[in-house]
Amino acid sequence: QVQLVESGGGLVQPGGSLRLSCTASGRIFSINDMGWYRQAPGKQRELVAGITSGGMTNYVVSVDGRFTISRDNAKNTVTLQMNSLKPEDTAVYYCNAKIAPIGSVEWLDYWGQGTQVTVSS
C-alpha cells in the first residue's frame, strides 16, 4: 500500500525556520506532481507550494520568497523549507502527491497525515 509520511513540524518563534519532509513508500511505479497544503482552524485548506515532476515550482503569494519546495526523486521525498516564519503561518501542513501505484494505470491522489506548525512568541 502506498503511503506518505510527514515529519518536521513543531513550535518556532516569529522569524524562525522549520523544514518539513514527506516521504512516499510502497509499491510505486511513478510520482507526478507533489505539493504542500495547510489548514488553519476555521479556515479552508489552501495550496502553499507545488512542484512538478520536472522541478517547476509555484507558491501562494503570502509565502513567496520565504518558503522553498524541493524534491528528491531518488528518495521519493518532497521538502518544504520555511524561513522568516510569521504567526499567520500557523496551521496543520499536509503533503500531497499524485502517484501511479504498481498495478494502476491512473494517477491517484495521496495525502500525508498532517503535521502541526505553530509560530508564536
Side-chain angles (χ1 to χ4, degrees), residues 1 24 36-38 46 53 66 75 108:
Q1 184 71 31
W36 288 94
Y37 292 72
R38 67 185 180 189
E46 67 171 344
S53 61
R66 299 187 296 120
K75 297 180 178 180
L108 302 179

Side-chain angles (χ1 to χ4, degrees), residues 6-48:
E6 305 178 22
S7 63
L11 173 65
V12 296
Q13 294 184 331
S17 297
L18 206 60
R19 177 184 286 263
L20 306 181
S21 295
C22 174
T23 299
S25 63
R27 296 181 59 79
I28 297 170
F29 178 75
S30 185
I31 302 178
N32 204 328
D33 297 345
M34 308 183 82
W36 288 94
Y37 292 72
R38 67 185 180 189
Q39 187 166 25
K43 297 184 178 180
Q44 292 183 280
R45 186 175 300 185
E46 67 171 344
L47 176 63
V48 177

Side-chain angles (χ1 to χ4, degrees), residues 1-2 26-30 99-108 110:
Q1 184 71 31
V2 173
R27 296 181 59 79
I28 297 170
F29 178 75
S30 185
I99 298 174
I102 294 175
S104 174
V105 297
E106 298 287 344
W107 300 105
L108 302 179
Y110 290 87

